[in-house]
Amino acid sequence: MSSPVYGLALHTSSPQLGLALSNFSDDSRQQTWDLDRDLSNLFHPYLKQFLAPQKWADLAFLATAKGPGSFTSTRIGIVTARTLAQQLQRPIFTVSSLAAFAWSQRDFYPLDTYLALEMPATRGQLYVGIYRGNRVYLADSLMTPEQWQQTLENLTISYQRLATPSYLGINAPDILDLAHLNWQTGKRPHWSEALPFYGM
């Protein structure tokens, strides 16, 4: 019996569900659905349909967006991924929604570019983070626009400031890429380590 080689990524932290599957060789696919409030009802049937013809046993690891983003939909993705990882006894990687978006920009900016990312949060605040390639310069945080502006003014590096789009499910392959990079270094995170980031 051959060992599992596929990775599966879930991205539920925005109104757009994104799924990505790959064996990192000759078989990769991705799909997105703009579900918004229908996510909780349609997520599981879409996931099952997307996986075929592969089976759960073909998965070597799972990956999921941990936020920031919508509280409810992020939680749905985390809980589903944790449950699958526990039942399948597979490692699970949680990836920041901001980190995945930063990684998606790697063909548009040199890899050594610092990307200062911002995403709308509740009460007029912002989720923010600064990334350079797949490395974190400023970890995801919740700030007021004034605090963020002050943070940027205090930086001693040059950076590109970007606002994330509203629909982030399209970044599911980037979540899978970042998880695979960690997989290749030998990391095998336990399902109990998969925790959401709500910025509270």
Side-chain angles (χ1 to χ4, degrees):
M1 180 178 174
S2 60
S3 58
V5 293
Y6 281 85
L8 172 68
L10 324 173
H11 200 325
T12 66
S13 69
S14 79
Q16 185 181 60
L17 167 63
L19 300 175
L21 182 78
S22 181
N23 66 359
F24 311 100
S25 173
D26 58 358
D27 186 18
S28 297
R29 60 183 182 273
Q30 69 182 86
Q31 196 166 351
T32 58
W33 299 264
D34 297 342
L35 298 182
D36 203 1
R37 296 182 184 278
D38 290 327
L39 176 68
S40 59
N41 296 323
L42 298 176
F43 177 30
H44 290 94
Y46 281 1
L47 176 58
K48 185 177 179 182
Q49 178 184 338
F50 175 80
L51 183 66
Q54 275 67 50
K55 298 177 175 58
W56 296 115
D58 295 327
L59 300 179
F61 68 86
L62 295 107
T64 186
K66 67 177 180 179
S70 162
F71 179 94
T72 302
S73 56
T74 298
R75 184 176 179 277
I76 290 171
I78 288 282
V79 169
T80 300
R82 279 173 60 109
T83 302
L84 287 171
Q86 183 181 13
Q87 292 178 343
L88 298 170
Q89 297 185 314
R90 298 288 191 268
I92 173 176
F93 297 88
T94 55
V95 177
S96 156
S97 304
L98 294 179
F101 177 72
W103 189 243
S104 76
Q105 301 301 299
R106 63 191 180 279
D107 292 334
F108 304 104
Y109 300 95
L111 267 179
D112 59 354
T113 303
Y114 289 91
L115 298 180
L117 306 179
E118 56 192 63
M119 174 194 296
T122 56
R123 303 185 192 91
Q125 295 180 297
L126 295 170
Y127 294 119
V128 300
I130 301 177
Y131 289 85
R132 185 186 186 199
N134 64 338
R135 300 185 181 278
V136 182
Y137 181 81
L138 174 68
D140 295 357
S141 308
L142 183 65
M143 296 186 186
T144 65
E146 293 76 21
Q147 289 171 326
W148 178 227
Q149 184 62 41
Q150 190 62 54
T151 298
L152 294 176
E153 289 176 1
N154 291 339
L155 291 177
T156 56
I157 56 169
S158 59
Y159 61 88
Q160 182 72 41
R161 185 174 181 176
L162 296 175
T164 65
S166 300
Y167 290 83
L168 294 171
I170 197 170
N171 293 148
D174 304 293
I175 288 176
L176 194 56
D177 280 348
L178 291 172
H180 188 234
L181 288 173
N182 282 319
W183 167 268
Q184 289 177 306
T185 67
K187 294 180 180 177
R188 301 292 186 267
H190 190 259
W191 65 265
S192 62
E193 300 172 48
L195 300 172
F197 172 81
Y198 295 133
M200 310 217 173

PDB file of all heavy atoms in Angstrom, residues 3 26 61 94 119 127 180 197:
ATOM      1  N   SER A   3       2.045   5.130   0.497  1.00  0.00           N
ATOM      2  CA  SER A   3       1.780   6.110   1.550  1.00  0.00           C
ATOM      3  C   SER A   3       1.093   7.335   0.961  1.00  0.00           C
ATOM      4  O   SER A   3       1.253   7.641  -0.223  1.00  0.00           O
ATOM      5  CB  SER A   3       3.096   6.526   2.213  1.00  0.00           C
ATOM      6  OG  SER A   3       3.979   7.056   1.247  1.00  0.00           O
ATOM      7  N   ASP A  26       2.281  15.969 -10.098  1.00  0.00           N
ATOM      8  CA  ASP A  26       1.589  16.068 -11.383  1.00  0.00           C
ATOM      9  C   ASP A  26       0.072  16.193 -11.259  1.00  0.00           C
ATOM     10  O   ASP A  26      -0.644  16.075 -12.240  1.00  0.00           O
ATOM     11  CB  ASP A  26       1.921  14.831 -12.237  1.00  0.00           C
ATOM     12  CG  ASP A  26       1.535  13.529 -11.554  1.00  0.00           C
ATOM     13  OD1 ASP A  26       1.046  13.562 -10.398  1.00  0.00           O
ATOM     14  OD2 ASP A  26       1.727  12.462 -12.169  1.00  0.00           O
ATOM     15  N   PHE A  61      -1.376  15.448   4.731  1.00  0.00           N
ATOM     16  CA  PHE A  61      -1.562  16.508   5.714  1.00  0.00           C
ATOM     17  C   PHE A  61      -2.701  17.402   5.284  1.00  0.00           C
ATOM     18  O   PHE A  61      -3.144  17.384   4.127  1.00  0.00           O
ATOM     19  CB  PHE A  61      -0.273  17.330   5.898  1.00  0.00           C
ATOM     20  CG  PHE A  61       0.128  18.156   4.709  1.00  0.00           C
ATOM     21  CD1 PHE A  61      -0.381  19.436   4.517  1.00  0.00           C
ATOM     22  CD2 PHE A  61       1.040  17.666   3.770  1.00  0.00           C
ATOM     23  CE1 PHE A  61      -0.008  20.201   3.427  1.00  0.00           C
ATOM     24  CE2 PHE A  61       1.411  18.423   2.678  1.00  0.00           C
ATOM     25  CZ  PHE A  61       0.889  19.690   2.505  1.00  0.00           C
ATOM     26  N   THR A  94      -1.843  25.414  10.262  1.00  0.00           N
ATOM     27  CA  THR A  94      -2.679  26.605  10.203  1.00  0.00           C
ATOM     28  C   THR A  94      -1.846  27.749   9.637  1.00  0.00           C
ATOM     29  O   THR A  94      -0.700  27.946  10.029  1.00  0.00           O
ATOM     30  CB  THR A  94      -3.214  26.989  11.595  1.00  0.00           C
ATOM     31  OG1 THR A  94      -2.121  27.143  12.499  1.00  0.00           O
ATOM     32  CG2 THR A  94      -4.164  25.921  12.121  1.00  0.00           C
ATOM     33  N   MET A 119      -6.378  44.595   6.545  1.00  0.00           N
ATOM     34  CA  MET A 119      -7.682  44.001   6.259  1.00  0.00           C
ATOM     35  C   MET A 119      -8.698  44.624   7.206  1.00  0.00           C
ATOM     36  O   MET A 119      -8.422  44.751   8.406  1.00  0.00           O
ATOM     37  CB  MET A 119      -7.614  42.478   6.484  1.00  0.00           C
ATOM     38  CG  MET A 119      -8.947  41.758   6.364  1.00  0.00           C
ATOM     39  SD  MET A 119      -8.867  40.056   7.030  1.00  0.00           S
ATOM     40  CE  MET A 119      -7.706  39.294   5.910  1.00  0.00           C
ATOM     41  N   TYR A 127      -7.004  44.532  10.757  1.00  0.00           N
ATOM     42  CA  TYR A 127      -6.048  43.448  10.954  1.00  0.00           C
ATOM     43  C   TYR A 127      -4.841  43.799  10.102  1.00  0.00           C
ATOM     44  O   TYR A 127      -4.988  44.127   8.913  1.00  0.00           O
ATOM     45  CB  TYR A 127      -6.617  42.110  10.484  1.00  0.00           C
ATOM     46  CG  TYR A 127      -7.795  41.613  11.282  1.00  0.00           C
ATOM     47  CD1 TYR A 127      -9.034  41.418  10.675  1.00  0.00           C
ATOM     48  CD2 TYR A 127      -7.666  41.297  12.632  1.00  0.00           C
ATOM     49  CE1 TYR A 127     -10.107  40.937  11.394  1.00  0.00           C
ATOM     50  CE2 TYR A 127      -8.750  40.819  13.358  1.00  0.00           C
ATOM     51  CZ  TYR A 127      -9.964  40.640  12.734  1.00  0.00           C
ATOM     52  OH  TYR A 127     -11.032  40.167  13.440  1.00  0.00           O
ATOM     53  N   HIS A 180       3.134  23.154   2.740  1.00  0.00           N
ATOM     54  CA  HIS A 180       4.059  22.178   2.157  1.00  0.00           C
ATOM     55  C   HIS A 180       5.513  22.546   2.441  1.00  0.00           C
ATOM     56  O   HIS A 180       6.354  21.660   2.668  1.00  0.00           O
ATOM     57  CB  HIS A 180       3.816  22.069   0.649  1.00  0.00           C
ATOM     58  CG  HIS A 180       4.569  20.966  -0.001  1.00  0.00           C
ATOM     59  ND1 HIS A 180       5.398  21.159  -1.084  1.00  0.00           N
ATOM     60  CD2 HIS A 180       4.643  19.637   0.287  1.00  0.00           C
ATOM     61  CE1 HIS A 180       5.946  20.010  -1.440  1.00  0.00           C
ATOM     62  NE2 HIS A 180       5.509  19.071  -0.630  1.00  0.00           N
ATOM     63  N   PHE A 197      -7.021  32.557  14.780  1.00  0.00           N
ATOM     64  CA  PHE A 197      -6.599  33.899  15.179  1.00  0.00           C
ATOM     65  C   PHE A 197      -7.777  34.835  14.964  1.00  0.00           C
ATOM     66  O   PHE A 197      -8.185  35.075  13.832  1.00  0.00           O
ATOM     67  CB  PHE A 197      -5.400  34.371  14.370  1.00  0.00           C
ATOM     68  CG  PHE A 197      -5.051  35.824  14.619  1.00  0.00           C
ATOM     69  CD1 PHE A 197      -4.316  36.182  15.738  1.00  0.00           C
ATOM     70  CD2 PHE A 197      -5.477  36.827  13.750  1.00  0.00           C
ATOM     71  CE1 PHE A 197      -4.012  37.524  15.978  1.00  0.00           C
ATOM     72  CE2 PHE A 197      -5.181  38.158  13.984  1.00  0.00           C
ATOM     73  CZ  PHE A 197      -4.448  38.508  15.104  1.00  0.00           C
TER      74      PHE A 197
END
